[in-house]
Amino acid sequence: MNSKQIRAGAAAMTGVLLLGACGGGGPGGSGGDFTDGKLVLAILNDQSGIYKDASGPNSVKAVRMAVADYKEKYGDKAVVDDIEVTSTDHQNKPDIANTKAKELYERGGADVILDVPTSSAALAVANQAKSHKKLFLDVSAATTELTGGQCNKYTFQWAYNTYMLANGTGTTVTQNGDKKWHIIYPDYQFGQDMAKSFTEAIKGAGGTVQGTIPTPFPNDNFATFLTKAGSTNPDVIGTMQAGGDLINVVKQFNESGLKDKGINLAVGLMLITDIHSLGVDQFAGTMFTDAWYWNMDAESRGWADRFRDETGTRPTFEHAGNYSAALQYLEAVQEAGTDDADAVVGKLENKKINDVFLRNGEVRAKDHLVVHDAYLARVREPSEVKEPWDYEEIVTTIPAAKAFPPAEASACSM
């Protein structure tokens, strides 16, 4: 089998979406500065499991929107005409993510991999990015290890991390009076990092953590863990689950009677799809930290309207984050005039960005953490919801410098 046949097979396997004309290479049309005369963006995420709604297939559509906007902006001045978008399901399993990333870089011709929810999977992809010297723009995984002890030159963390979530929600809830916490968390990298980050934030705000309870991932029965956490009579139980697991936790907490005992529930990571799935009444009044909200201003709403036209639904911050990461990657390629990874990394580092997702954004060169404004949000009461999907009220903006850990605190060494 020759190399063209191998690439064709890999494309078929991952579900290729072609955008733009074949051949190409921008002005002059030679494509001489691009591998095979084209650019390949690969989305690796959960296409069928508990994180499907949070990111999943609609993040592929968000990336396609970024490609379309890039082409519309530059027209015949674009440095590459042939841009290919592929998508693959990693099933939230690090071993599958590792294998798929290797295939995408080696046989799929991927110049960049985007998204990758599930922190253990993202860390596996980061290792593949490092060994292949190809880019990985993480959007949906939150472990601080990606820009900490396991950082590398080719990996960027675009949307959020566990520090951002804990610094907003853990600190605020504790300062508002819920001093005694018990934490339940999914027993893998993300959950472990969340428990650690929240514990540090809670203690820093004058609170105490009475205990931390690991739970299987994924899981559908949390009754035993909630009962155990409630037995210590905390002010609040902090749940670090996400996606489908979070929906199960909230539903079972509301059925448990713990609320009647004066125990509150704090959510570490929540997306608008979680609220929509279970119902706004189930989350009403909950405070949480968000990286972006579709109806927070006119610019966000305008893009969200376009997204709705494409998908039939409103975007999560992960959808908007994938759009932003793809668009800024294309802008860096345009500036570099090549898909050479080292050249593109050089254009991304220290870049200051204001786009539909990133406000006061900056790509830190030291650790490749993308810092930006974050938002403390409250879930509206049902009577406050005036249109479908408008479930959040932005209570306050957390400036980028306060939302993320300082560069000097980073354990990253590239």
PDB file of all heavy atoms in Angstrom, residues 50-55 58 242-244 246-247 270-279 283 290 293-294 307 313-319 389 391-392:
ATOM      1  N   ILE A  50     -20.527  10.481  27.649  1.00  0.00           N
ATOM      2  CA  ILE A  50     -21.066  11.445  28.613  1.00  0.00           C
ATOM      3  C   ILE A  50     -20.685  12.894  28.304  1.00  0.00           C
ATOM      4  O   ILE A  50     -21.308  13.820  28.813  1.00  0.00           O
ATOM      5  CB  ILE A  50     -20.639  11.095  30.057  1.00  0.00           C
ATOM      6  CG1 ILE A  50     -19.117  11.196  30.233  1.00  0.00           C
ATOM      7  CG2 ILE A  50     -21.140   9.730  30.454  1.00  0.00           C
ATOM      8  CD1 ILE A  50     -18.684  11.085  31.678  1.00  0.00           C
ATOM      9  N   TYR A  51     -19.650  13.129  27.485  1.00  0.00           N
ATOM     10  CA  TYR A  51     -19.243  14.487  27.127  1.00  0.00           C
ATOM     11  C   TYR A  51     -19.654  14.862  25.699  1.00  0.00           C
ATOM     12  O   TYR A  51     -19.221  15.888  25.174  1.00  0.00           O
ATOM     13  CB  TYR A  51     -17.727  14.649  27.273  1.00  0.00           C
ATOM     14  CG  TYR A  51     -17.223  14.487  28.699  1.00  0.00           C
ATOM     15  CD1 TYR A  51     -15.957  13.967  28.960  1.00  0.00           C
ATOM     16  CD2 TYR A  51     -18.013  14.843  29.787  1.00  0.00           C
ATOM     17  CE1 TYR A  51     -15.496  13.822  30.259  1.00  0.00           C
ATOM     18  CE2 TYR A  51     -17.561  14.693  31.084  1.00  0.00           C
ATOM     19  CZ  TYR A  51     -16.300  14.186  31.314  1.00  0.00           C
ATOM     20  OH  TYR A  51     -15.839  14.034  32.602  1.00  0.00           O
ATOM     21  N   LYS A  52     -20.501  14.048  25.089  1.00  0.00           N
ATOM     22  CA  LYS A  52     -20.905  14.297  23.702  1.00  0.00           C
ATOM     23  C   LYS A  52     -21.577  15.658  23.549  1.00  0.00           C
ATOM     24  O   LYS A  52     -21.280  16.408  22.616  1.00  0.00           O
ATOM     25  CB  LYS A  52     -21.842  13.192  23.239  1.00  0.00           C
ATOM     26  CG  LYS A  52     -22.435  13.421  21.852  1.00  0.00           C
ATOM     27  CD  LYS A  52     -23.480  12.372  21.503  1.00  0.00           C
ATOM     28  CE  LYS A  52     -24.152  12.686  20.180  1.00  0.00           C
ATOM     29  NZ  LYS A  52     -25.219  11.715  19.853  1.00  0.00           N
ATOM     30  N   ASP A  53     -22.507  15.981  24.447  1.00  0.00           N
ATOM     31  CA  ASP A  53     -23.254  17.232  24.318  1.00  0.00           C
ATOM     32  C   ASP A  53     -22.391  18.445  24.650  1.00  0.00           C
ATOM     33  O   ASP A  53     -22.552  19.507  24.052  1.00  0.00           O
ATOM     34  CB  ASP A  53     -24.482  17.211  25.226  1.00  0.00           C
ATOM     35  CG  ASP A  53     -25.515  16.188  24.778  1.00  0.00           C
ATOM     36  OD1 ASP A  53     -25.483  15.779  23.598  1.00  0.00           O
ATOM     37  OD2 ASP A  53     -26.349  15.790  25.614  1.00  0.00           O
ATOM     38  N   ALA A  54     -21.493  18.289  25.589  1.00  0.00           N
ATOM     39  CA  ALA A  54     -20.645  19.407  25.993  1.00  0.00           C
ATOM     40  C   ALA A  54     -19.727  19.860  24.872  1.00  0.00           C
ATOM     41  O   ALA A  54     -19.438  21.051  24.725  1.00  0.00           O
ATOM     42  CB  ALA A  54     -19.818  19.013  27.218  1.00  0.00           C
ATOM     43  N   SER A  55     -19.260  18.923  24.081  1.00  0.00           N
ATOM     44  CA  SER A  55     -18.354  19.246  22.970  1.00  0.00           C
ATOM     45  C   SER A  55     -18.759  18.412  21.762  1.00  0.00           C
ATOM     46  O   SER A  55     -19.569  18.826  20.952  1.00  0.00           O
ATOM     47  CB  SER A  55     -16.907  18.992  23.383  1.00  0.00           C
ATOM     48  OG  SER A  55     -16.023  19.404  22.376  1.00  0.00           O
ATOM     49  N   ASN A  58     -20.646  18.740  17.678  1.00  0.00           N
ATOM     50  CA  ASN A  58     -20.858  20.166  17.440  1.00  0.00           C
ATOM     51  C   ASN A  58     -19.570  20.982  17.521  1.00  0.00           C
ATOM     52  O   ASN A  58     -19.500  22.090  16.975  1.00  0.00           O
ATOM     53  CB  ASN A  58     -21.906  20.722  18.398  1.00  0.00           C
ATOM     54  CG  ASN A  58     -23.316  20.372  17.966  1.00  0.00           C
ATOM     55  OD1 ASN A  58     -23.548  20.027  16.808  1.00  0.00           O
ATOM     56  ND2 ASN A  58     -24.261  20.454  18.886  1.00  0.00           N
ATOM     57  N   ALA A 242     -18.640  15.844  35.919  1.00  0.00           N
ATOM     58  CA  ALA A 242     -18.997  16.694  34.782  1.00  0.00           C
ATOM     59  C   ALA A 242     -19.854  15.898  33.803  1.00  0.00           C
ATOM     60  O   ALA A 242     -19.916  14.665  33.850  1.00  0.00           O
ATOM     61  CB  ALA A 242     -17.740  17.215  34.087  1.00  0.00           C
ATOM     62  N   GLY A 243     -20.513  16.613  32.901  1.00  0.00           N
ATOM     63  CA  GLY A 243     -21.290  15.975  31.851  1.00  0.00           C
ATOM     64  C   GLY A 243     -22.393  15.090  32.402  1.00  0.00           C
ATOM     65  O   GLY A 243     -23.115  15.458  33.337  1.00  0.00           O
ATOM     66  N   GLY A 244     -22.540  13.897  31.824  1.00  0.00           N
ATOM     67  CA  GLY A 244     -23.587  12.975  32.240  1.00  0.00           C
ATOM     68  C   GLY A 244     -23.471  12.560  33.690  1.00  0.00           C
ATOM     69  O   GLY A 244     -24.487  12.354  34.376  1.00  0.00           O
ATOM     70  N   LEU A 246     -22.349  14.467  36.156  1.00  0.00           N
ATOM     71  CA  LEU A 246     -22.854  15.574  36.961  1.00  0.00           C
ATOM     72  C   LEU A 246     -24.378  15.553  37.012  1.00  0.00           C
ATOM     73  O   LEU A 246     -24.979  15.761  38.071  1.00  0.00           O
ATOM     74  CB  LEU A 246     -22.378  16.908  36.381  1.00  0.00           C
ATOM     75  CG  LEU A 246     -23.006  18.154  37.031  1.00  0.00           C
ATOM     76  CD1 LEU A 246     -22.619  18.256  38.497  1.00  0.00           C
ATOM     77  CD2 LEU A 246     -22.605  19.420  36.277  1.00  0.00           C
ATOM     78  N   ILE A 247     -25.010  15.298  35.878  1.00  0.00           N
ATOM     79  CA  ILE A 247     -26.477  15.244  35.838  1.00  0.00           C
ATOM     80  C   ILE A 247     -26.996  14.183  36.813  1.00  0.00           C
ATOM     81  O   ILE A 247     -27.966  14.415  37.553  1.00  0.00           O
ATOM     82  CB  ILE A 247     -26.949  14.975  34.401  1.00  0.00           C
ATOM     83  CG1 ILE A 247     -26.644  16.194  33.516  1.00  0.00           C
ATOM     84  CG2 ILE A 247     -28.430  14.638  34.359  1.00  0.00           C
ATOM     85  CD1 ILE A 247     -26.812  15.938  32.038  1.00  0.00           C
ATOM     86  N   MET A 270     -19.677  23.040  35.286  1.00  0.00           N
ATOM     87  CA  MET A 270     -21.004  22.892  34.718  1.00  0.00           C
ATOM     88  C   MET A 270     -21.079  23.624  33.389  1.00  0.00           C
ATOM     89  O   MET A 270     -20.506  24.707  33.226  1.00  0.00           O
ATOM     90  CB  MET A 270     -22.065  23.439  35.671  1.00  0.00           C
ATOM     91  CG  MET A 270     -23.492  23.250  35.173  1.00  0.00           C
ATOM     92  SD  MET A 270     -24.708  23.293  36.507  1.00  0.00           S
ATOM     93  CE  MET A 270     -24.447  24.938  37.177  1.00  0.00           C
ATOM     94  N   LEU A 271     -21.777  23.017  32.443  1.00  0.00           N
ATOM     95  CA  LEU A 271     -21.998  23.632  31.145  1.00  0.00           C
ATOM     96  C   LEU A 271     -23.491  23.808  30.916  1.00  0.00           C
ATOM     97  O   LEU A 271     -24.320  23.164  31.563  1.00  0.00           O
ATOM     98  CB  LEU A 271     -21.384  22.801  30.021  1.00  0.00           C
ATOM     99  CG  LEU A 271     -19.846  22.828  29.975  1.00  0.00           C
ATOM    100  CD1 LEU A 271     -19.291  21.700  30.826  1.00  0.00           C
ATOM    101  CD2 LEU A 271     -19.325  22.727  28.563  1.00  0.00           C
ATOM    102  N   ILE A 272     -23.827  24.661  29.974  1.00  0.00           N
ATOM    103  CA  ILE A 272     -25.226  24.972  29.728  1.00  0.00           C
ATOM    104  C   ILE A 272     -26.015  23.734  29.300  1.00  0.00           C
ATOM    105  O   ILE A 272     -27.209  23.614  29.575  1.00  0.00           O
ATOM    106  CB  ILE A 272     -25.335  26.106  28.693  1.00  0.00           C
ATOM    107  CG1 ILE A 272     -26.766  26.637  28.644  1.00  0.00           C
ATOM    108  CG2 ILE A 272     -24.859  25.658  27.329  1.00  0.00           C
ATOM    109  CD1 ILE A 272     -26.912  27.882  27.821  1.00  0.00           C
ATOM    110  N   THR A 273     -25.338  22.789  28.658  1.00  0.00           N
ATOM    111  CA  THR A 273     -26.009  21.551  28.251  1.00  0.00           C
ATOM    112  C   THR A 273     -26.430  20.717  29.453  1.00  0.00           C
ATOM    113  O   THR A 273     -27.427  19.986  29.387  1.00  0.00           O
ATOM    114  CB  THR A 273     -25.094  20.729  27.332  1.00  0.00           C
ATOM    115  OG1 THR A 273     -23.766  20.709  27.885  1.00  0.00           O
ATOM    116  CG2 THR A 273     -25.040  21.328  25.940  1.00  0.00           C
ATOM    117  N   ASP A 274     -25.682  20.795  30.558  1.00  0.00           N
ATOM    118  CA  ASP A 274     -26.064  20.086  31.777  1.00  0.00           C
ATOM    119  C   ASP A 274     -27.374  20.653  32.319  1.00  0.00           C
ATOM    120  O   ASP A 274     -28.274  19.900  32.719  1.00  0.00           O
ATOM    121  CB  ASP A 274     -24.973  20.216  32.837  1.00  0.00           C
ATOM    122  CG  ASP A 274     -23.628  19.683  32.380  1.00  0.00           C
ATOM    123  OD1 ASP A 274     -23.614  18.650  31.681  1.00  0.00           O
ATOM    124  OD2 ASP A 274     -22.599  20.295  32.715  1.00  0.00           O
ATOM    125  N   ILE A 275     -27.466  21.976  32.357  1.00  0.00           N
ATOM    126  CA  ILE A 275     -28.677  22.631  32.862  1.00  0.00           C
ATOM    127  C   ILE A 275     -29.864  22.285  31.976  1.00  0.00           C
ATOM    128  O   ILE A 275     -30.955  21.971  32.452  1.00  0.00           O
ATOM    129  CB  ILE A 275     -28.472  24.153  32.925  1.00  0.00           C
ATOM    130  CG1 ILE A 275     -27.241  24.507  33.764  1.00  0.00           C
ATOM    131  CG2 ILE A 275     -29.711  24.832  33.492  1.00  0.00           C
ATOM    132  CD1 ILE A 275     -26.840  25.968  33.694  1.00  0.00           C
ATOM    133  N   HIS A 276     -29.647  22.332  30.677  1.00  0.00           N
ATOM    134  CA  HIS A 276     -30.722  22.063  29.729  1.00  0.00           C
ATOM    135  C   HIS A 276     -31.213  20.619  29.840  1.00  0.00           C
ATOM    136  O   HIS A 276     -32.415  20.350  29.748  1.00  0.00           O
ATOM    137  CB  HIS A 276     -30.238  22.335  28.305  1.00  0.00           C
ATOM    138  CG  HIS A 276     -31.305  22.253  27.265  1.00  0.00           C
ATOM    139  ND1 HIS A 276     -32.225  23.258  27.066  1.00  0.00           N
ATOM    140  CD2 HIS A 276     -31.612  21.280  26.370  1.00  0.00           C
ATOM    141  CE1 HIS A 276     -33.049  22.920  26.091  1.00  0.00           C
ATOM    142  NE2 HIS A 276     -32.705  21.718  25.653  1.00  0.00           N
ATOM    143  N   SER A 277     -30.296  19.712  30.057  1.00  0.00           N
ATOM    144  CA  SER A 277     -30.639  18.296  30.096  1.00  0.00           C
ATOM    145  C   SER A 277     -31.516  17.947  31.288  1.00  0.00           C
ATOM    146  O   SER A 277     -32.506  17.214  31.153  1.00  0.00           O
ATOM    147  CB  SER A 277     -29.367  17.447  30.115  1.00  0.00           C
ATOM    148  OG  SER A 277     -29.660  16.079  30.206  1.00  0.00           O
ATOM    149  N   LEU A 278     -31.170  18.468  32.463  1.00  0.00           N
ATOM    150  CA  LEU A 278     -31.883  18.093  33.686  1.00  0.00           C
ATOM    151  C   LEU A 278     -33.008  19.068  34.011  1.00  0.00           C
ATOM    152  O   LEU A 278     -33.976  18.704  34.678  1.00  0.00           O
ATOM    153  CB  LEU A 278     -30.900  18.009  34.856  1.00  0.00           C
ATOM    154  CG  LEU A 278     -31.380  17.317  36.129  1.00  0.00           C
ATOM    155  CD1 LEU A 278     -31.858  15.899  35.826  1.00  0.00           C
ATOM    156  CD2 LEU A 278     -30.250  17.275  37.164  1.00  0.00           C
ATOM    157  N   GLY A 279     -32.891  20.296  33.550  1.00  0.00           N
ATOM    158  CA  GLY A 279     -33.908  21.306  33.829  1.00  0.00           C
ATOM    159  C   GLY A 279     -33.371  22.401  34.722  1.00  0.00           C
ATOM    160  O   GLY A 279     -32.673  22.132  35.708  1.00  0.00           O
ATOM    161  N   PHE A 283     -31.177  23.150  39.045  1.00  0.00           N
ATOM    162  CA  PHE A 283     -29.913  23.847  39.325  1.00  0.00           C
ATOM    163  C   PHE A 283     -30.135  25.271  39.837  1.00  0.00           C
ATOM    164  O   PHE A 283     -29.162  25.974  40.132  1.00  0.00           O
ATOM    165  CB  PHE A 283     -29.061  23.937  38.055  1.00  0.00           C
ATOM    166  CG  PHE A 283     -28.520  22.632  37.557  1.00  0.00           C
ATOM    167  CD1 PHE A 283     -29.174  21.918  36.575  1.00  0.00           C
ATOM    168  CD2 PHE A 283     -27.340  22.113  38.071  1.00  0.00           C
ATOM    169  CE1 PHE A 283     -28.671  20.724  36.089  1.00  0.00           C
ATOM    170  CE2 PHE A 283     -26.822  20.918  37.605  1.00  0.00           C
ATOM    171  CZ  PHE A 283     -27.493  20.224  36.614  1.00  0.00           C
ATOM    172  N   ASP A 290     -17.685  29.991  34.922  1.00  0.00           N
ATOM    173  CA  ASP A 290     -17.808  29.691  33.502  1.00  0.00           C
ATOM    174  C   ASP A 290     -16.680  30.375  32.742  1.00  0.00           C
ATOM    175  O   ASP A 290     -16.204  31.451  33.138  1.00  0.00           O
ATOM    176  CB  ASP A 290     -19.160  30.186  32.972  1.00  0.00           C
ATOM    177  CG  ASP A 290     -19.681  29.352  31.808  1.00  0.00           C
ATOM    178  OD1 ASP A 290     -18.862  28.639  31.194  1.00  0.00           O
ATOM    179  OD2 ASP A 290     -20.883  29.418  31.516  1.00  0.00           O
ATOM    180  N   TYR A 293     -20.061  32.597  28.085  1.00  0.00           N
ATOM    181  CA  TYR A 293     -21.502  32.327  28.030  1.00  0.00           C
ATOM    182  C   TYR A 293     -22.072  32.926  26.754  1.00  0.00           C
ATOM    183  O   TYR A 293     -21.757  34.067  26.387  1.00  0.00           O
ATOM    184  CB  TYR A 293     -22.203  32.921  29.252  1.00  0.00           C
ATOM    185  CG  TYR A 293     -23.691  32.668  29.271  1.00  0.00           C
ATOM    186  CD1 TYR A 293     -24.198  31.378  29.161  1.00  0.00           C
ATOM    187  CD2 TYR A 293     -24.588  33.725  29.405  1.00  0.00           C
ATOM    188  CE1 TYR A 293     -25.556  31.135  29.176  1.00  0.00           C
ATOM    189  CE2 TYR A 293     -25.962  33.492  29.427  1.00  0.00           C
ATOM    190  CZ  TYR A 293     -26.443  32.200  29.307  1.00  0.00           C
ATOM    191  OH  TYR A 293     -27.786  31.961  29.310  1.00  0.00           O
ATOM    192  N   TRP A 294     -22.936  32.179  26.109  1.00  0.00           N
ATOM    193  CA  TRP A 294     -23.398  32.551  24.770  1.00  0.00           C
ATOM    194  C   TRP A 294     -24.172  33.871  24.720  1.00  0.00           C
ATOM    195  O   TRP A 294     -24.197  34.547  23.692  1.00  0.00           O
ATOM    196  CB  TRP A 294     -24.253  31.431  24.172  1.00  0.00           C
ATOM    197  CG  TRP A 294     -25.630  31.274  24.767  1.00  0.00           C
ATOM    198  CD1 TRP A 294     -25.987  30.448  25.789  1.00  0.00           C
ATOM    199  CD2 TRP A 294     -26.832  31.940  24.362  1.00  0.00           C
ATOM    200  NE1 TRP A 294     -27.328  30.557  26.058  1.00  0.00           N
ATOM    201  CE2 TRP A 294     -27.886  31.458  25.183  1.00  0.00           C
ATOM    202  CE3 TRP A 294     -27.134  32.892  23.384  1.00  0.00           C
ATOM    203  CZ2 TRP A 294     -29.191  31.902  25.068  1.00  0.00           C
ATOM    204  CZ3 TRP A 294     -28.452  33.333  23.263  1.00  0.00           C
ATOM    205  CH2 TRP A 294     -29.464  32.841  24.100  1.00  0.00           C
ATOM    206  N   PHE A 307     -24.094  29.712  15.288  1.00  0.00           N
ATOM    207  CA  PHE A 307     -23.908  28.327  15.735  1.00  0.00           C
ATOM    208  C   PHE A 307     -25.247  27.604  15.787  1.00  0.00           C
ATOM    209  O   PHE A 307     -25.357  26.443  15.364  1.00  0.00           O
ATOM    210  CB  PHE A 307     -23.229  28.332  17.105  1.00  0.00           C
ATOM    211  CG  PHE A 307     -22.911  26.975  17.654  1.00  0.00           C
ATOM    212  CD1 PHE A 307     -21.707  26.350  17.363  1.00  0.00           C
ATOM    213  CD2 PHE A 307     -23.812  26.304  18.478  1.00  0.00           C
ATOM    214  CE1 PHE A 307     -21.404  25.096  17.883  1.00  0.00           C
ATOM    215  CE2 PHE A 307     -23.521  25.058  19.001  1.00  0.00           C
ATOM    216  CZ  PHE A 307     -22.315  24.454  18.696  1.00  0.00           C
ATOM    217  N   THR A 313     -28.817  24.211  18.199  1.00  0.00           N
ATOM    218  CA  THR A 313     -28.708  24.344  19.640  1.00  0.00           C
ATOM    219  C   THR A 313     -27.789  25.513  19.978  1.00  0.00           C
ATOM    220  O   THR A 313     -27.134  26.084  19.112  1.00  0.00           O
ATOM    221  CB  THR A 313     -28.176  23.035  20.259  1.00  0.00           C
ATOM    222  OG1 THR A 313     -28.276  23.106  21.678  1.00  0.00           O
ATOM    223  CG2 THR A 313     -26.726  22.795  19.874  1.00  0.00           C
ATOM    224  N   ARG A 314     -27.744  25.870  21.245  1.00  0.00           N
ATOM    225  CA  ARG A 314     -26.841  26.937  21.708  1.00  0.00           C
ATOM    226  C   ARG A 314     -25.484  26.337  22.102  1.00  0.00           C
ATOM    227  O   ARG A 314     -25.406  25.190  22.543  1.00  0.00           O
ATOM    228  CB  ARG A 314     -27.447  27.675  22.895  1.00  0.00           C
ATOM    229  CG  ARG A 314     -28.675  28.523  22.545  1.00  0.00           C
ATOM    230  CD  ARG A 314     -28.334  29.626  21.567  1.00  0.00           C
ATOM    231  NE  ARG A 314     -29.452  30.564  21.395  1.00  0.00           N
ATOM    232  CZ  ARG A 314     -29.428  31.599  20.561  1.00  0.00           C
ATOM    233  NH1 ARG A 314     -28.360  31.811  19.801  1.00  0.00           N
ATOM    234  NH2 ARG A 314     -30.466  32.406  20.469  1.00  0.00           N
ATOM    235  N   PRO A 315     -24.422  27.121  21.980  1.00  0.00           N
ATOM    236  CA  PRO A 315     -23.087  26.590  22.245  1.00  0.00           C
ATOM    237  C   PRO A 315     -22.695  26.608  23.718  1.00  0.00           C
ATOM    238  O   PRO A 315     -23.062  27.510  24.465  1.00  0.00           O
ATOM    239  CB  PRO A 315     -22.181  27.537  21.454  1.00  0.00           C
ATOM    240  CG  PRO A 315     -22.919  28.847  21.470  1.00  0.00           C
ATOM    241  CD  PRO A 315     -24.388  28.478  21.413  1.00  0.00           C
ATOM    242  N   THR A 316     -21.920  25.602  24.114  1.00  0.00           N
ATOM    243  CA  THR A 316     -21.219  25.628  25.393  1.00  0.00           C
ATOM    244  C   THR A 316     -19.925  26.426  25.234  1.00  0.00           C
ATOM    245  O   THR A 316     -19.521  26.777  24.120  1.00  0.00           O
ATOM    246  CB  THR A 316     -20.853  24.210  25.849  1.00  0.00           C
ATOM    247  OG1 THR A 316     -19.869  23.675  24.940  1.00  0.00           O
ATOM    248  CG2 THR A 316     -22.071  23.300  25.868  1.00  0.00           C
ATOM    249  N   PHE A 317     -19.235  26.658  26.346  1.00  0.00           N
ATOM    250  CA  PHE A 317     -17.942  27.334  26.226  1.00  0.00           C
ATOM    251  C   PHE A 317     -16.932  26.462  25.493  1.00  0.00           C
ATOM    252  O   PHE A 317     -15.987  26.982  24.871  1.00  0.00           O
ATOM    253  CB  PHE A 317     -17.415  27.791  27.597  1.00  0.00           C
ATOM    254  CG  PHE A 317     -16.761  26.741  28.464  1.00  0.00           C
ATOM    255  CD1 PHE A 317     -15.491  26.255  28.175  1.00  0.00           C
ATOM    256  CD2 PHE A 317     -17.389  26.267  29.597  1.00  0.00           C
ATOM    257  CE1 PHE A 317     -14.877  25.316  28.982  1.00  0.00           C
ATOM    258  CE2 PHE A 317     -16.783  25.332  30.420  1.00  0.00           C
ATOM    259  CZ  PHE A 317     -15.524  24.847  30.108  1.00  0.00           C
ATOM    260  N   GLU A 318     -17.108  25.142  25.521  1.00  0.00           N
ATOM    261  CA  GLU A 318     -16.181  24.270  24.811  1.00  0.00           C
ATOM    262  C   GLU A 318     -16.360  24.395  23.293  1.00  0.00           C
ATOM    263  O   GLU A 318     -15.381  24.340  22.539  1.00  0.00           O
ATOM    264  CB  GLU A 318     -16.345  22.824  25.282  1.00  0.00           C
ATOM    265  CG  GLU A 318     -15.909  22.648  26.735  1.00  0.00           C
ATOM    266  CD  GLU A 318     -16.080  21.242  27.257  1.00  0.00           C
ATOM    267  OE1 GLU A 318     -16.509  20.357  26.491  1.00  0.00           O
ATOM    268  OE2 GLU A 318     -15.790  21.021  28.451  1.00  0.00           O
ATOM    269  N   HIS A 319     -17.586  24.564  22.841  1.00  0.00           N
ATOM    270  CA  HIS A 319     -17.811  24.807  21.411  1.00  0.00           C
ATOM    271  C   HIS A 319     -17.153  26.118  20.984  1.00  0.00           C
ATOM    272  O   HIS A 319     -16.453  26.175  19.966  1.00  0.00           O
ATOM    273  CB  HIS A 319     -19.312  24.867  21.122  1.00  0.00           C
ATOM    274  CG  HIS A 319     -20.034  23.584  21.395  1.00  0.00           C
ATOM    275  ND1 HIS A 319     -21.249  23.528  22.045  1.00  0.00           N
ATOM    276  CD2 HIS A 319     -19.708  22.294  21.122  1.00  0.00           C
ATOM    277  CE1 HIS A 319     -21.648  22.270  22.140  1.00  0.00           C
ATOM    278  NE2 HIS A 319     -20.723  21.496  21.592  1.00  0.00           N
ATOM    279  N   TRP A 389     -32.680  28.323  26.594  1.00  0.00           N
ATOM    280  CA  TRP A 389     -31.230  28.232  26.780  1.00  0.00           C
ATOM    281  C   TRP A 389     -30.608  29.412  27.538  1.00  0.00           C
ATOM    282  O   TRP A 389     -29.424  29.369  27.861  1.00  0.00           O
ATOM    283  CB  TRP A 389     -30.491  28.067  25.447  1.00  0.00           C
ATOM    284  CG  TRP A 389     -30.693  26.751  24.786  1.00  0.00           C
ATOM    285  CD1 TRP A 389     -31.645  26.446  23.837  1.00  0.00           C
ATOM    286  CD2 TRP A 389     -29.972  25.535  25.002  1.00  0.00           C
ATOM    287  NE1 TRP A 389     -31.557  25.131  23.458  1.00  0.00           N
ATOM    288  CE2 TRP A 389     -30.525  24.542  24.151  1.00  0.00           C
ATOM    289  CE3 TRP A 389     -28.895  25.194  25.827  1.00  0.00           C
ATOM    290  CZ2 TRP A 389     -30.052  23.245  24.109  1.00  0.00           C
ATOM    291  CZ3 TRP A 389     -28.416  23.892  25.782  1.00  0.00           C
ATOM    292  CH2 TRP A 389     -28.999  22.937  24.928  1.00  0.00           C
ATOM    293  N   TYR A 391     -30.029  30.415  30.556  1.00  0.00           N
ATOM    294  CA  TYR A 391     -30.140  29.916  31.916  1.00  0.00           C
ATOM    295  C   TYR A 391     -29.184  30.590  32.905  1.00  0.00           C
ATOM    296  O   TYR A 391     -29.283  30.330  34.101  1.00  0.00           O
ATOM    297  CB  TYR A 391     -29.860  28.411  31.943  1.00  0.00           C
ATOM    298  CG  TYR A 391     -30.733  27.600  31.028  1.00  0.00           C
ATOM    299  CD1 TYR A 391     -30.199  26.577  30.256  1.00  0.00           C
ATOM    300  CD2 TYR A 391     -32.103  27.828  30.949  1.00  0.00           C
ATOM    301  CE1 TYR A 391     -30.999  25.809  29.413  1.00  0.00           C
ATOM    302  CE2 TYR A 391     -32.910  27.068  30.120  1.00  0.00           C
ATOM    303  CZ  TYR A 391     -32.356  26.064  29.351  1.00  0.00           C
ATOM    304  OH  TYR A 391     -33.148  25.310  28.524  1.00  0.00           O
ATOM    305  N   GLU A 392     -28.280  31.401  32.433  1.00  0.00           N
ATOM    306  CA  GLU A 392     -27.243  31.930  33.307  1.00  0.00           C
ATOM    307  C   GLU A 392     -27.338  33.448  33.464  1.00  0.00           C
ATOM    308  O   GLU A 392     -27.691  34.160  32.525  1.00  0.00           O
ATOM    309  CB  GLU A 392     -25.845  31.604  32.764  1.00  0.00           C
ATOM    310  CG  GLU A 392     -25.519  30.134  32.702  1.00  0.00           C
ATOM    311  CD  GLU A 392     -24.110  29.879  32.185  1.00  0.00           C
ATOM    312  OE1 GLU A 392     -23.237  30.749  32.376  1.00  0.00           O
ATOM    313  OE2 GLU A 392     -23.883  28.830  31.576  1.00  0.00           O
TER     314      GLU A 392
END
